[in-house]
Amino acid sequence: MAVNVERTEQFVEILRESSEKLVVVDFYSTTCPPCLVVDQILGQLASQYPTVAFYKVDVKKFSDVAMQCRISATPTLQFFRKGRSINEVKGANKTAIVQAIDAGLSDNGGETAAAFGVVGHSDLTRLVLKTKSECLNQDDDHPMDNIFTEGASRLQSDVDEQLVIHVSFNQPIRLHSLMLKAPLEHAPRSLKLFVNRTDVGFDDAEAAEATQQIEMTKEIYERGGVVNLRYVRFQNVNSLSIFVADNLGDDDVTAISQLAFIGTAINSANVSDIRQGEEGHSH
């Protein structure tokens, strides 16, 4: 069973506990029917994952903690390692919760991670908020959803070679690198990246100053498709828009097999933030 948090200081202790193990925190409301379903799910999972710590936080009783953790709806589950939130699941989705636990158990907190060979950073593609992401000029038979997992499917342009890909994340991230896989004759060549702009269209993308421009080459793809970004410009990324102007084969169709985001999730809660809220909280 998940343990109820009874005082604000206990949440600080939970963050410290996450330095040793994966901690799952269920932010719930007593008036939320799906929260009861999540409570049952966590009761089942607690016996399946004895090395994982499960806790519950009443968002009305501990509104300061909920605010620091950026909780906007219940139920919301956050997954902590080494004092930081590494994942989030909204709703009573057992499959998503299990996947997040499994991902958390394989996550080492980012200290020695090496996503796609980039040491010190993790694959953050799991944080993509698909319901708020879209692609302009996609072929409906080859949509954007295909590129967030490795496989035979791909994203493909429709009426011409250009694409505008809008990606939203479920928490802020520091983005270090991108990884693209694509068939070389259709692989993106000229990219323009825009941080925290979801209003970019084709005309805007052509004319506007980008956060960074990238020229992909055959050699980059053959080395694994990883391209490092100007890290200082990508320190607080909530969304990323990618304008693909053309492709290596100068073809009318551009295709992407996989797109991954490499970096570090920004803490949605930390010990100092929680401590700041302790003084004014009453029990």
Side-chain angles (χ1 to χ4, degrees):
M1 293 289 292
V3 177
N4 258 307
V5 171
E6 300 294 343
R7 63 190 194 284
T8 303
E9 311 89 85
Q10 188 178 355
F11 194 80
V12 178
E13 297 166 4
I14 289 170
L15 293 179
R16 291 184 179 134
E17 183 180 1
S18 71
S19 65
E20 304 294 334
K21 62 174 66 175
L22 176 66
V23 172
V24 180
V25 180
D26 170 24
F27 291 89
Y28 73 98
S29 169
T30 56
T31 59
C32 161
C35 294
L36 299 176
V37 178
V38 169
D39 193 40
Q40 295 173 355
I41 292 172
L42 296 187
Q44 298 166 4
L45 296 180
S47 59
Q48 297 178 31
Y49 295 93
T51 63
V52 177
F54 295 89
Y55 292 93
K56 297 170 58 178
V57 174
D58 185 331
V59 297
K60 292 183 179 179
K61 187 176 180 181
F62 298 101
S63 58
D64 53 349
V65 173
M67 180 178 66
Q68 294 291 348
C69 293
R70 303 181 183 185
I71 302 303
S72 60
T74 58
T76 295
L77 288 86
Q78 289 190 348
F79 302 76
F80 293 87
R81 287 292 301 267
K82 298 188 183 299
R84 66 184 180 92
S85 173
I86 61 171
N87 209 343
E88 181 177 279
V89 172
K90 295 181 185 293
N93 186 332
K94 183 176 181 179
T95 299
I97 294 170
V98 169
Q99 289 175 344
I101 291 174
D102 290 340
L105 290 173
S106 64
D107 188 298
N108 58 15
E111 291 189 352
T112 57
F116 303 101
V118 182
V119 177
H121 295 277
S122 301
D123 181 1
L124 302 180
T125 311
R126 66 182 184 276
L127 302 182
V128 170
L129 195 58
K130 294 182 181 179
T131 56
K132 293 187 177 181
S133 302
E134 64 173 346
C135 179
L136 306 182
N137 191 38
Q138 69 176 7
D139 181 338
D140 289 340
D141 292 330
H142 302 278
M144 182 181 67
D145 282 358
N146 291 340
I147 62 176
F148 297 129
T149 55
E150 187 174 7
S153 300
R154 64 188 188 181
L155 165 65
Q156 189 167 294
S157 65
D158 189 11
V159 300
D160 60 21
E161 72 279 8
Q162 295 189 337
L163 293 166
V164 175
I165 302 170
H166 295 299
V167 179
S168 294
F169 301 95
N170 65 17
Q171 68 182 82
I173 65 170
R174 295 186 179 95
L175 188 60
H176 182 277
S177 312
L178 296 178
M179 189 286 297
L180 291 92
K181 290 183 179 179
L184 283 178
E185 66 273 18
H186 301 294
R189 177 169 55 196
S190 302
L191 308 179
K192 294 180 75 173
L193 309 184
F194 301 88
V195 169
N196 298 337
R197 284 195 57 185
T198 57
D199 60 341
V200 176
F202 288 104
D203 291 340
D204 299 320
E206 296 242 25
E209 182 177 353
T211 308
Q212 183 171 344
Q213 294 187 229
I214 299 170
E215 287 294 316
M216 300 293 290
T217 65
K218 176 182 177 182
E219 291 72 27
I220 291 174
Y221 285 107
E222 290 177 341
R223 291 197 305 265
V226 174
V227 56
N228 293 339
L229 306 180
R230 295 173 185 169
Y231 195 35
V232 68
R233 298 185 179 183
F234 296 83
Q235 289 296 295
N236 188 23
V237 179
N238 291 288
S239 66
L240 182 71
S241 296
I242 305 172
F243 171 54
V244 180
D246 51 24
N247 56 66
L248 294 183
D250 292 320
D251 194 80
D252 289 337
V253 174
T254 296
I256 303 174
S257 302
Q258 187 180 1
L259 172 63
F261 305 92
I262 305 164
T264 305
I266 297 176
N267 293 3
S268 59
N270 60 59
V271 172
S272 61
D273 287 341
I274 299 300
R275 280 177 175 165
Q276 290 172 7
E278 286 178 11
E279 185 176 348
H281 188 80
S282 60
H283 301 287

